[in-house]
Amino acid sequence: MGIPCRRQAGTRPYLPHRRPTVSPHPRRPARRSILMASPLAFIDLQAQRKRLGDSIDTAMRRVVDHGHFILGPEVGLLEQKLAQFCGADHTVSCGNGTDAISLVLMAENIGPGDAVFMPAFTFVATAEAAAQLGATPYFIDVNADDFAINPDHIDGAVSDARSRGLRPRAIIAVDLFGLPADYARLTATASHHGLVLVADAAQSFGGRYQNHMVGSLADYTTTSFFPSKPLGCYGDGGAIFTNAAPRADLLRSLRFHGKGQDKYDNIRIGMNSRLDTIQAAILLEKLTIFADELELRETVAARYDALLRPHAGKVIRPVVPAGRRSAWALYTLRSPERDAIRNACQAAGIPTNVYYPIPLNRQTGYRNYPVSPAGVPVSEQLAMEVISIPMHPYLTEEDQARIVQAIVGH
């Protein structure tokens, strides 16, 4: 989804010409100019750019000067630093977060006749990656608190998939809105059924689970560097994390047309999904402030929590279970009055978004894929109630107070 328009830093908002308070016509009421507050940004990338100064421009010029635009030196350095940041042994960058999932499924030779279990409440890319390879996306309900796939429903889904003649192969756990799923339970479930566990961490890179960083919690972890993510570039980009060297080597081959010793020795069918060197250079600069931005996101989330706590009857705040820490990609509320809240925010110049208004099992392109025997009632309820409000490291206390006032005062 796009980023709402906003005025440039340092410019003054347009103020309409003030009309006289006395109407020139005796039968007409006097007109008063209404000075609207400046619209806020949903995600303020310009504030981040201002903080980084000229460093990104310098990094981009460096790439232009050396001319290694594909898998240049910045790509290898970024992979090394990302692995160090999250504690994974290996990082393999790629073209985007969807490709990251596709590459993992290709590495596991998942295709026609295979069932891939995933939450019904998430972005379509998770299902798309499986479907494009001919595998069967199998939709399972989510928890009402952390919005992650419900482990209690996987046993029944595995049995049902087998009854349909499908081979259960993998679980994709989506860390929605920045909060890691319950990986201890998911690991045990995946091990019990002999399934590959994939963490779709497109929104949660930088989060923690039981003192472990996202990136080392599953057999594979995938992430996205889409501009609006907690760590985002200025285009598309993605990465895969794994602790197994053979898997990393296979992924590097698959992302480069299935190459062997060189690019003209193609030993398997792969795809073209390489992170541009310029994007790697941008991410290297952003990574220098990423840890601090995560702390700022935590502060912003805590302020929202404090401001909204007295209004528990109007909105349901995000829940962060003990032992987990969110990357706060989004701050998402629940309310049966969502439409009224959205309208009030719009009138106050406050952008909101709904992630996601239609669960995957009801999407036109995916409605024929199987759903767990338990159904997906929580996913369908969330789709009617969730609303995400502005969330980024540079939100001020004043802006947050204004946002909350619009939410609770409608």
Side-chain angles (χ1 to χ4, degrees):
M1 296 186 180
I3 298 171
C5 296
R6 53 190 175 274
R7 65 183 178 88
Q8 295 180 348
T11 63
R12 300 181 63 185
Y14 170 73
L15 301 179
H17 176 69
R18 292 183 181 271
R19 295 178 179 267
T21 57
V22 178
S23 172
H25 193 288
R27 294 183 180 179
R28 293 178 183 172
R31 293 184 179 181
R32 296 179 181 178
S33 61
I34 299 175
L35 305 182
M36 295 292 293
S38 301
L40 299 179
F42 190 75
I43 298 171
D44 196 345
L45 296 179
Q46 294 305 316
Q48 181 194 62
R49 181 170 175 80
K50 182 178 180 181
R51 174 180 178 178
L52 287 166
D54 295 331
S55 63
I56 287 183
D57 293 338
T58 301
M60 293 171 67
R61 283 196 298 269
R62 190 181 304 119
V63 175
V64 173
D65 289 342
H66 69 55
H68 297 290
F69 299 113
I70 304 296
L71 295 181
E74 286 83 356
V75 174
L77 180 58
L78 175 67
E79 291 177 342
Q80 175 186 337
K81 288 187 174 295
L82 288 172
Q84 292 171 349
F85 181 87
C86 70
D89 290 341
H90 305 278
T91 301
V92 180
S93 61
C94 60
N96 55 70
T98 310
D99 282 0
I101 301 171
S102 297
L103 286 164
V104 166
L105 299 181
M106 291 171 69
E108 291 294 326
N109 198 29
I110 291 175
D114 295 331
V116 179
F117 304 101
M118 62 189 65
F121 188 64
T122 185
F123 185 57
V124 70
T126 310
E128 181 181 45
Q132 285 186 334
L133 293 173
T136 298
Y138 192 113
F139 301 125
I140 295 177
D141 208 3
V142 298
N143 301 311
D145 53 358
D146 65 3
F147 304 158
I149 190 169
N150 188 334
D152 292 336
H153 294 186
I154 293 176
D155 289 345
V158 168
S159 297
D160 181 64
R162 288 186 175 132
S163 73
R164 295 169 181 264
L166 297 170
R167 294 180 297 270
R169 293 293 311 281
I171 301 169
I172 302 180
V174 180
D175 299 341
L176 209 60
F177 307 142
L179 180 64
D182 189 347
Y183 282 100
R185 292 190 62 197
L186 288 168
T187 298
T189 300
S191 177
H192 176 71
H193 292 291
L195 305 175
V196 175
L197 179 59
V198 182
D200 180 348
Q203 299 178 8
S204 68
F205 187 71
R208 287 179 175 270
Y209 177 84
Q210 296 182 357
N211 295 320
H212 295 282
M213 295 290 292
V214 167
S216 59
L217 301 171
D219 297 315
Y220 300 89
T221 300
T222 65
T223 197
S224 168
F225 299 126
F226 187 77
S228 64
K229 305 302 183 187
L231 180 62
C233 55
Y234 287 168
D236 272 322
I240 306 158
F241 305 93
T242 180
N243 289 334
R247 286 173 172 160
D249 290 339
L250 177 56
L251 290 166
R252 292 188 182 98
S253 170
L254 289 168
R255 75 174 176 184
F256 199 147
H257 301 289
K259 80 179 187 69
Q261 294 301 312
D262 63 65
K263 64 181 180 180
Y264 300 115
D265 173 30
N266 306 110
I267 60 177
R268 57 180 58 89
I269 296 174
M271 63 192 297
N272 180 18
S273 184
R274 297 165 295 190
L275 182 66
D276 290 340
T277 308
I278 282 181
Q279 301 299 347
I282 292 167
L283 288 167
L284 281 167
E285 297 305 317
K286 290 194 174 191
L287 191 58
T288 63
I289 63 170
F290 186 49
D292 183 61
E293 286 191 331
L294 289 169
E295 293 298 326
L296 291 172
R297 287 177 180 272
E298 188 72 21
T299 298
V300 169
R303 283 204 299 257
Y304 269 141
D305 192 64
L307 289 167
L308 288 164
R309 187 177 294 111
H311 306 282
K314 187 172 289 268
V315 294
I316 300 174
R317 293 171 285 116
V319 174
V320 180
R324 302 190 224 178
R325 184 167 184 177
S326 179
W328 293 111
L330 294 163
Y331 193 91
T332 301
L333 303 170
R334 292 180 60 187
S335 174
E337 301 178 19
R338 180 178 70 190
D339 291 344
I341 291 173
R342 291 202 81 185
N343 291 337
C345 287
Q346 182 179 16
I350 297 165
T352 61
N353 279 306
V354 174
Y355 305 104
Y356 300 94
I358 308 174
L360 292 182
N361 60 296
R362 291 191 179 273
Q363 297 276 350
T364 302
Y366 296 85
R367 60 178 54 158
N368 293 325
Y369 288 112
V371 176
S372 133
V376 290
V378 176
S379 297
E380 300 202 0
Q381 186 69 29
L382 290 174
M384 294 188 294
E385 294 183 350
V386 292
I387 178 171
S388 297
I389 59 179
M391 180 64 188
H392 58 81
Y394 306 103
L395 268 174
T396 66
E397 294 183 44
E398 293 76 14
D399 285 343
Q400 287 189 264
R402 173 182 160 192
I403 292 165
V404 170
Q405 178 57 40
I407 292 170
V408 302
H410 72 273

